[in-house]
């Protein structure tokens, strides 16, 4: 079964740091680009970051650029999101997701992890 | 304000047909980029419903269908069931931005 399991969420003060992990199983992790999408409480989905299959190319939304770092360890089948200088506006459920079509700009996301809640206090 | 525009809510009675629209522009849907749809039941992760405008992943009932024309796309649900009550999001790619999502549509089954 293809599965993504996130961990690492929690409560952090404004200005603090947190690292999310996303453990993949059931597929060849090193063959797929991976993505992070977040959802603030009661809000819609926001695209956050992406990394290609070998980790050589990354993308960040303007809202997190310079503060978040996406990375992956293909030997451990794990995706990471290092979040720094956290703001109240970053408070959300963070989902990791696998790309549906390798290397395609208009790819879809399937599957998604269960989500990891990041709470930022002021 | 989302790049892809969706109506905030739609409703229908069991057995009816409803459609959810997703309006973009010439830099995303109108540029030919694929449109994908997700279903999100409150408290759970989004689930892929339609990819590449009109393709259903295995396991998704054929009551769900997608279409695209010009700068807009639509998700149709026929034979509405209580379990279809959820939030629905469209997603595409924008040449000026990157991956973009619609603001979501809440479907209520009356």
């Amino acid at each position: 079964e293809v599965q993504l399991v996130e961990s690492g969420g929690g409560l952090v003060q404004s200005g603090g740091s947190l690292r999310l992990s996303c453990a993949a199983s059931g597929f060849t992790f090193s063959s797929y680009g991976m993505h992070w999408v977040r959802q603030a409480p009661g809000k819609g989905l926001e695209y956050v970051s992406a990394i290609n299959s070998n980790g050589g190319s990354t993308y960040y939304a303007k809202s997190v650029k310079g503060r978040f770092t996406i990375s992956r360890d293909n030997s451990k089948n794990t995706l990471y999101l290092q979040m720094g200088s956290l703001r109240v506006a970053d408070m959300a459920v963070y989902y990791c997701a696998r790309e549906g079509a390798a290397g395609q700009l208009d790819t879809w996301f399937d599957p998604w992890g269960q989500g990891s809640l990041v709470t930022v206090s002021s | 304000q989302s790049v892809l525009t969706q109506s905030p809510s739609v409703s229908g009675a069991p057995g009816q047909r409803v459609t959810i629209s997703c309006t973009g522009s010439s830099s995303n849907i109108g540029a030919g980029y694929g449109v994908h749809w997700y279903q999100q039941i409150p408290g759970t992760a989004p689930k892929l419903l339609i990819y590449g405008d009109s393709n259903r992943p295995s396991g998704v009932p054929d009551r769900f269908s997608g279409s695209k024309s010009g700068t807009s796309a639509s998700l149709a649900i026929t034979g509405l069931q209580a379990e279809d009550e959820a939030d629905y999001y469209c997603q595409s790619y924008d040449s000026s931005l990157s991956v973009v999502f619609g603001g979501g549509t809440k479907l209520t089954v009356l």
Side-chain angles (χ1 to χ4, degrees):
Chain A
E1 178 194 4
V2 176
Q3 196 172 13
L4 299 172
V5 178
E6 293 121 347
S7 59
L11 174 63
V12 62
Q13 282 194 328
S14 179
S17 300
L18 208 58
R19 188 178 82 159
L20 302 181
S21 299
C22 171
S25 60
F27 65 99
T28 305
F29 182 69
S30 59
S31 296
Y32 289 85
M34 297 294 295
H35 306 257
W36 289 98
V37 177
R38 69 184 181 183
Q39 186 171 36
K43 302 296 183 183
L45 302 171
E46 180 188 7
Y47 189 59
V48 174
S49 184
I51 188 167
N52 70 344
S53 58
N54 64 17
S57 177
T58 58
Y59 166 85
Y60 300 95
K62 284 183 183 177
S63 57
V64 306
K65 197 167 188 177
R67 302 186 298 119
F68 289 13
T69 301
I70 190 172
S71 62
R72 64 191 296 160
D73 185 337
N74 285 345
S75 68
K76 294 183 178 179
N77 291 341
T78 302
L79 172 72
Y80 303 100
L81 185 67
Q82 179 69 48
M83 303 183 292
S85 301
L86 281 162
R87 307 166 179 168
V88 172
D90 295 319
M91 187 158 56
V93 174
Y94 285 73
Y95 296 102
C96 62
R98 187 189 73 173
E99 68 180 7
Q104 192 168 309
L105 290 175
D106 59 347
T107 188
W108 54 93
F109 305 123
D110 183 48
W112 297 57
Q114 86 283 4
S116 189
L117 177 61
V118 173
T119 304
V120 183
S121 66
S122 55
Chain B
Q1 186 113 5
S2 303
V3 173
L4 304 179
T5 301
Q6 297 181 238
S7 297
S9 63
V10 67
S11 62
Q16 283 190 332
R17 178 182 187 270
V18 297
T19 60
I20 297 172
S21 63
C22 174
T23 302
S25 67
S26 59
S27 61
N28 41 69
I29 298 175
Y33 292 112
V35 178
H36 322 300
W37 292 90
Y38 302 90
Q39 178 192 60
Q40 185 179 34
I41 294 169
T44 69
K47 170 193 167 187
L48 180 67
L49 212 54
I50 297 288
Y51 67 94
D53 302 338
S54 58
N55 302 289
R56 274 188 315 275
S58 61
V60 173
D62 60 6
R63 301 186 296 104
F64 296 89
S65 64
S67 63
K68 185 174 81 175
S69 178
T71 58
S72 295
S74 292
L75 172 71
I77 310 172
T78 59
L80 206 56
Q81 299 179 4
E83 66 203 50
D84 299 332
E85 188 159 290
D87 296 320
Y88 292 84
Y89 293 91
C90 60
Q91 176 239 316
S92 186
Y93 180 86
D94 188 285
S95 57
S96 301
L97 298 167
S98 182
V99 169
V100 288
F101 287 96
T105 297
K106 180 177 179 60
L107 169 63
T108 301
V109 180
L110 302 171

